[in-house]
Amino acid sequence: MDFTSSSCGGSEHRQIEESKPLLGGEMSATGGSKMGAVQCRRSLMHFNGMKYKLLQEGDIQVCSIRHPRTFLSKILTSKFLRRWEPHHLTLADNSLTSATPTGYMENCISYSAIEDVQLLSWENAPKYCLQLTVPGGTVLLQAANSYLRDQWFHSLQWKKKIYKYKKVLSNPNRWEVVLKEIRTLVDMALNSPLQDDSIHQAPLEIISKLLSENINLTTQEHESIIVAIAPLLENNHPPPDLCEFFCKHCRERPRSMVVIEVFTPVVQRILKHNMDFGKCPRLRLFTQEYILALNELNAGMEVVKKFIHSMHGPTANCPHPRVLPNVVAVCLAAIYSCYEEFINSRDNSPSLKEIRNGCQQQCDRKPNIPLRLLHTSPDFVSQEVTTESRHKTVIVTSNEIHVEVERNNTVNQKLKANSGNDSEPNLIDCLLISPACSTISIELSPQAERVLRCYVEILKILSDYDDWRPALASLLQPIPFPKEALAHETFTKELKHVIQRFAEDPRQEVHSCLLSVRAGKDGWFQLYSPGGVACDDDGELFASMVHILMGSCYKTKKFLLSLAENKLGPCMLLALRGNQTMVEILCLMLEYNIIENNDTQLQIISTLESTDVGKRMYEQLCDRQRELKELQRKGGPTRLTLPSKSTDADLARLLSSGSFGNLENLSLAFTNVTSACAEQLIKLPSLKQLNLWSTQFGDSGLRVLSEHLTTLQVLNLCETPVTDAGLLALSSMKSLCSLNMNSTKLSADTYEDLKAKLPNLKEVDVRYTEAW
């Protein structure tokens, strides 16, 4: 039977039905819907708060009945001769189809052909049936129980009405009628007993398509539609086309009350629940435009600050873990857009290798170059430039962005002399421009400048929350900004507050993010240190960063060696001005023999003696050196065991009482020593065996031992709080032949790594660890 075709009477009936309000009362049964001699009654629809999942397909019994016209046809359609067929039906977007198109379901049933859907119950033998009234007959659907029957009923009703709304709203004539239908559609979705994501998404997609096809709407019509669909957005993300519509409204009417009253809960839900802006970039763009609209209000950034506070909540810890990464993603995308013209025109600029080597001549350059960054040789970064040197200025224009590069001819000649170096420079190397040699200024359009300041200010607001700072530092550790932003003085100056907050935080997981994420990559420490492109002071921020890093677990030879190689000049200058952290740095360089050149050592000593704090700390260093010589003088015991409950102070007092140059075996088992005693242990030149069983010796102490006690052969770390972070440092102690890591937080991967890097390791105890 083909239910998509009907008689003229059926067409007239459907035409009348289409003109009715779609969500009017349930359609009454027509006279032609009576099924022969079978007496039936329409069951009352009492949902009793029951909720159902929207059916897309399912198994059900089907029976089709033609309207009886003769006495014989009434007999053939009676309940005693009725035949039921099992079918697997699919509720498609346009019709009801069967997986086996035979028998009653040989042809699909279009939703437009269904005149009515009713719930039926039989008098003699109750069955769970639905009646679909179609032109010329009736289709009965029999479910296994009442719940499935109701589920099929509501699903068919939903599919039928959504299909009709798609047709009605696809050809709008009068917008007041369209708006009324939109409100009715929204009410239908909100009051439906069906529970499914598509129940709210389907109306939003219909309205989204309607708006995308009708772009010439008035502002009043815009706002009326937004207010009408607002209830659906409370628990659902807007579709992509609807996001475009919202973005347009934010740009054109940023001061509209719709932005505050309707968009605010929508954006809050996006920031709390969105998992990946990469899959739905228009949600990110809508959030970005919404925040810019808030910034356009009279209070400006105060409104934005209150919005960020509302996302964090009044408690000390934000209860929504997705808020921070989502806000940061929006900020990064917005900042990137400010320099997008730079980035899009990179293909027309020289490569980093050409910038370093200076091999591209002015006459060979392509026109309309958007950006030129000059890298000066590291040997010349800190050199002074005489006033007689001639300067050459190159001004390059790219629409709204102007770059002015002022460079020194003598430095350029040095670059040409080194043009044989084929190594590709890293990002920060290309931006290390000495203020005395070169200056860069980038001018953005007024709109781009407002966007930049707004979103950098948001990053500053985020950095003021203690609970967000660790995650924010981790997100910003691999520098996520384009090189054009790092060359922009306004950007780096505004971002300095964020870096300062990281440098002031005592938590290691925060200030450790100032360093590069891996070897060979520069981080914020290099960028904001003297000689870095972002450094705009005399090294105050640099001194703060060094102070916090030295106070943590970075008081190591490797860190001091990197400072001596790259930042010795700034360190000496700040020490000369009385900075206590830099004075301590210079003393440690002398104490650990970091500086090998005698002239440099004498210069450091002169710098220390030029200030009161330096003179005092240098005298203390000399006293420690004399004590160290006495301690390391040959003699004393070869084995030593400290009493239980001894402390770091007790160990220091004992080692200062005589000579321990012959000490080879030291047991600190079951004492109260901590990682702080590592400073005393590294003074023992002959130490071969060290027992730290059941002490509080941790990761930071292991890092110090691994740098100084390279000849240690036996180490007992049983029941100590060491983790993989400290145990990995032992890979540099090639002389280790016995290592006890029983009852530590050793992982299997770290154990395998240690075995591969310690060739002399013969005895290992990893019981009660993950590697066991």
Side-chain angles (χ1 to χ4, degrees):
M1 299 175 61
D2 186 2
F3 293 112
T4 58
S5 60
S6 60
S7 62
C8 296
S11 299
E12 181 181 358
H13 179 83
R14 285 200 307 278
Q15 185 176 1
I16 295 173
E17 183 194 20
E18 292 289 348
S19 64
K20 293 179 181 179
L22 294 184
L23 286 182
E26 294 294 330
M27 299 174 60
S28 59
T30 59
S33 65
K34 296 181 181 179
M35 301 180 299
V38 178
Q39 296 182 0
C40 62
R41 56 184 174 85
R42 189 190 306 266
S43 63
L44 296 178
M45 291 167 43
H46 296 293
F47 302 143
N48 297 325
M50 292 288 291
K51 296 295 182 181
Y52 309 89
K53 184 174 178 61
L54 177 65
L55 278 175
Q56 301 296 340
E57 58 182 338
D59 296 321
I60 199 166
Q61 298 288 324
V62 180
C63 180
S64 177
I65 303 172
R66 283 286 187 179
H67 289 168
R69 301 181 184 277
T70 64
F71 179 77
L72 180 61
S73 64
K74 289 182 179 181
I75 295 176
L76 294 176
T77 58
S78 65
K79 66 178 180 178
F80 303 104
L81 301 178
R82 192 170 300 127
R83 180 172 57 89
W84 293 88
E85 295 178 353
H87 282 274
H88 185 84
L89 301 185
T90 301
L91 283 75
D93 291 338
N94 303 322
S95 60
L96 184 65
T97 61
S98 173
T100 55
T102 58
Y104 296 141
M105 295 302 298
E106 181 178 2
N107 298 298
C108 62
I109 304 176
S110 174
Y111 294 139
S112 60
I114 299 176
E115 298 173 358
D116 193 11
V117 181
Q118 303 175 20
L119 289 174
L120 299 178
S121 64
W122 305 95
E123 293 181 350
N124 298 332
K127 297 182 182 293
Y128 309 108
C129 290
L130 293 177
Q131 173 185 317
L132 307 184
T133 304
V134 295
T138 299
V139 176
L140 298 179
L141 304 179
Q142 181 180 349
N145 52 57
S146 61
Y147 182 86
L148 282 176
R149 178 201 62 190
D150 293 345
Q151 189 177 17
W152 274 95
F153 172 76
H154 294 300
S155 298
L156 280 168
Q157 286 272 29
W158 174 261
K159 289 285 187 178
K160 179 176 178 290
K161 291 177 181 178
I162 284 294
Y163 175 75
K164 290 183 178 181
Y165 273 111
K166 287 181 180 178
K167 292 180 62 178
V168 170
L169 296 179
S170 61
N171 297 306
N173 294 321
R174 297 170 55 194
W175 277 99
E176 58 272 15
V177 177
V178 170
L179 185 61
K180 181 179 179 181
E181 295 292 352
I182 289 176
R183 289 173 180 153
T184 308
L185 174 61
V186 171
D187 290 339
M188 181 188 76
L190 294 176
N191 297 322
S192 173
L194 296 172
Q195 277 189 331
D196 194 87
D197 292 340
S198 62
I199 298 301
H200 289 171
Q201 283 295 327
L204 289 176
E205 290 173 358
I206 293 174
I207 298 168
S208 177
K209 182 179 179 181
L210 171 69
L211 295 174
S212 64
E213 294 175 352
N214 298 270
I215 58 176
N216 298 322
L217 299 178
T218 64
T219 302
Q220 185 61 37
E221 291 169 342
H222 274 196
E223 295 190 352
S224 299
I225 293 175
I226 293 173
V227 172
I229 64 177
L232 290 180
L233 297 173
E234 292 180 0
N235 297 309
N236 298 273
H237 291 339
D241 291 338
L242 204 57
C243 286
E244 291 282 352
F245 176 70
F246 290 169
C247 289
K248 180 180 178 183
H249 190 81
C250 287
R251 286 190 294 265
E252 295 178 354
R253 296 288 304 277
R255 296 175 179 268
S256 169
M257 289 306 297
V258 169
V259 174
I260 299 294
E261 296 177 356
V262 179
F263 289 168
T264 297
V266 178
V267 174
Q268 286 177 335
R269 187 183 188 280
I270 291 173
L271 293 177
K272 290 177 181 178
H273 300 286
N274 177 67
M275 298 302 295
D276 186 5
F277 276 129
K279 296 180 180 179
C280 38
R282 294 188 184 179
L283 287 179
R284 192 259 312 151
L285 185 61
F286 166 50
T287 306
Q288 180 178 328
E289 294 293 344
Y290 166 79
I291 293 176
L292 290 176
L294 294 185
N295 193 38
E296 293 295 325
L297 299 177
N298 293 334
M301 283 308 302
E302 284 299 320
V303 181
V304 176
K305 188 174 182 179
K306 290 181 180 178
F307 173 74
I308 298 297
H309 180 71
S310 70
M311 296 306 305
H312 180 276
T315 59
N317 295 308
C318 177
H320 305 287
R322 291 300 308 167
V323 169
L324 178 66
N326 284 333
V327 173
V328 172
V330 172
C331 292
L332 295 182
I335 294 172
Y336 183 93
S337 68
C338 297
Y339 302 94
E340 194 166 8
E341 188 173 354
F342 271 130
I343 299 164
N344 291 338
S345 55
R346 279 182 185 172
D347 294 339
N348 202 28
S349 61
S351 67
L352 298 180
K353 185 184 296 184
E354 290 174 330
I355 294 173
R356 164 169 280 187
N357 295 337
C359 59
Q360 189 177 30
Q361 302 298 325
Q362 181 70 28
C363 58
D364 297 333
R365 292 178 182 169
K366 301 175 184 179
N368 297 327
I369 300 175
L371 181 62
R372 284 291 181 269
L373 296 176
L374 181 64
H375 168 67
T376 61
S377 173
D379 298 332
F380 280 76
V381 169
S382 59
Q383 290 187 359
E384 296 182 356
V385 179
T386 58
T387 56
E388 289 119 15
S389 298
R390 296 181 180 179
H391 292 77
K392 183 178 181 180
T393 301
V394 179
I395 301 178
V396 184
T397 304
S398 176
N399 294 338
E400 298 176 342
I401 305 177
H402 309 278
V403 180
E404 180 177 338
V405 179
E406 187 177 19
R407 62 189 180 186
N408 184 271
N409 283 341
T410 60
V411 176
N412 192 32
Q413 292 172 3
K414 178 65 178 179
L415 288 173
K416 292 181 179 179
N418 293 335
S419 60
N421 185 7
D422 292 333
S423 61
E424 188 74 12
N426 58 36
L427 172 64
I428 307 299
D429 281 343
C430 295
L431 297 173
L432 282 177
I433 303 172
S434 173
C437 299
S438 307
T439 58
I440 293 182
S441 62
I442 298 179
E443 295 183 7
L444 301 178
S445 65
Q447 175 61 21
E449 192 78 23
R450 286 195 296 271
V451 173
L452 179 67
R453 292 186 180 277
C454 174
Y455 283 98
V456 175
E457 188 67 29
I458 291 177
L459 291 177
K460 293 161 67 175
I461 294 172
L462 297 178
S463 68
D464 290 335
Y465 287 93
D466 290 338
D467 61 315
W468 275 350
R469 203 174 300 131
L472 178 63
S474 178
L475 291 170
L476 298 184
Q477 183 179 19
I479 300 178
F481 304 105
K483 65 180 183 181
E484 290 79 5
L486 300 178
H488 189 193
E489 182 181 0
T490 301
F491 172 75
T492 54
K493 187 174 182 179
E494 292 293 329
L495 194 66
K496 185 178 179 180
H497 173 85
V498 179
I499 308 304
Q500 184 72 49
R501 297 294 287 167
F502 293 165
E504 294 171 352
D505 198 299
R507 292 170 291 184
Q508 181 185 342
E509 64 267 28
V510 177
H511 58 250
S512 63
C513 293
L514 294 170
L515 299 176
S516 58
V517 68
R518 65 179 183 271
K521 291 289 185 179
D522 290 317
W524 297 113
F525 180 77
Q526 290 80 8
L527 193 65
Y528 279 90
S529 61
V533 66
C535 184
D536 60 350
D537 54 24
D538 292 332
E540 288 82 1
L541 179 56
F542 170 67
S544 298
M545 291 190 289
V546 172
H547 174 75
I548 196 69
L549 291 172
M550 290 297 294
S552 182
C553 59
Y554 294 94
K555 199 173 186 178
T556 62
K557 272 188 175 181
K558 184 178 179 181
F559 184 64
L560 292 172
L561 186 60
S562 66
L563 289 179
E565 291 177 349
N566 303 308
K567 305 297 177 185
L568 182 58
C571 289
M572 293 177 63
L573 178 61
L574 292 171
L576 189 63
R577 294 175 178 175
N579 187 282
Q580 186 170 348
T581 301
M582 293 306 162
V583 170
E584 181 184 358
I585 291 290
L586 295 182
C587 289
L588 288 173
M589 288 180 181
L590 294 175
E591 185 173 2
Y592 291 164
N593 295 320
I594 300 295
I595 307 298
E596 297 180 355
N597 186 279
N598 291 332
D599 292 336
T600 305
Q601 290 181 359
L602 292 175
Q603 186 176 355
I604 290 177
I605 294 173
S606 300
T607 302
L608 293 173
E609 292 181 337
S610 62
T611 61
D612 293 338
V613 61
K615 186 181 298 183
R616 184 179 68 255
M617 296 186 72
Y618 180 63
E619 291 175 353
Q620 294 173 357
L621 171 62
C622 293
D623 293 339
R624 290 198 303 271
Q625 292 294 89
R626 285 192 291 268
E627 294 174 359
L628 180 61
K629 288 182 179 180
E630 178 63 25
L631 172 67
Q632 295 179 346
R633 187 167 55 85
K634 292 298 181 179
T638 58
R639 301 174 62 90
L640 181 63
T641 300
L642 256 69
S644 61
K645 298 185 180 180
S646 298
T647 63
D648 297 329
D650 296 328
L651 176 63
R653 191 178 301 109
L654 176 64
L655 294 181
S656 64
S657 62
S659 300
F660 292 90
N662 293 338
L663 185 61
E664 296 181 357
N665 189 323
L666 176 61
S667 176
L668 302 177
F670 305 104
T671 63
N672 294 330
V673 297
T674 66
S675 296
C677 74
E679 297 294 333
Q680 303 296 328
L681 298 177
I682 62 176
K683 299 175 182 178
L684 302 171
S686 303
L687 192 61
K688 298 291 188 297
Q689 301 179 27
L690 178 60
N691 188 351
L692 295 169
W693 188 0
S694 190
T695 64
Q696 294 303 310
F697 199 88
D699 293 336
S700 59
L702 281 185
R703 292 192 185 96
V704 176
L705 295 185
S706 64
E707 286 194 333
H708 297 271
L709 297 182
T710 55
T711 60
L712 196 65
Q713 297 176 1
V714 179
L715 179 60
N716 189 345
L717 298 172
C718 179
E719 297 181 7
T720 58
V722 294
T723 65
D724 287 345
L727 292 171
L728 282 172
L730 299 180
S731 59
S732 62
M733 304 176 73
K734 305 299 182 182
S735 299
L736 273 179
C737 57
S738 177
L739 180 59
N740 188 339
M741 297 176 285
N742 186 325
S743 303
T744 63
K745 296 180 181 179
L746 171 71
S747 67
D749 292 338
T750 300
Y751 177 51
E752 294 299 327
D753 187 68
L754 288 175
K755 287 197 301 183
K757 294 181 179 180
L758 297 176
N760 296 321
L761 195 59
K762 298 176 182 177
E763 297 180 5
V764 184
D765 188 350
V766 293
R767 289 175 297 171
Y768 308 107
T769 67
E770 182 184 316
W772 189 27

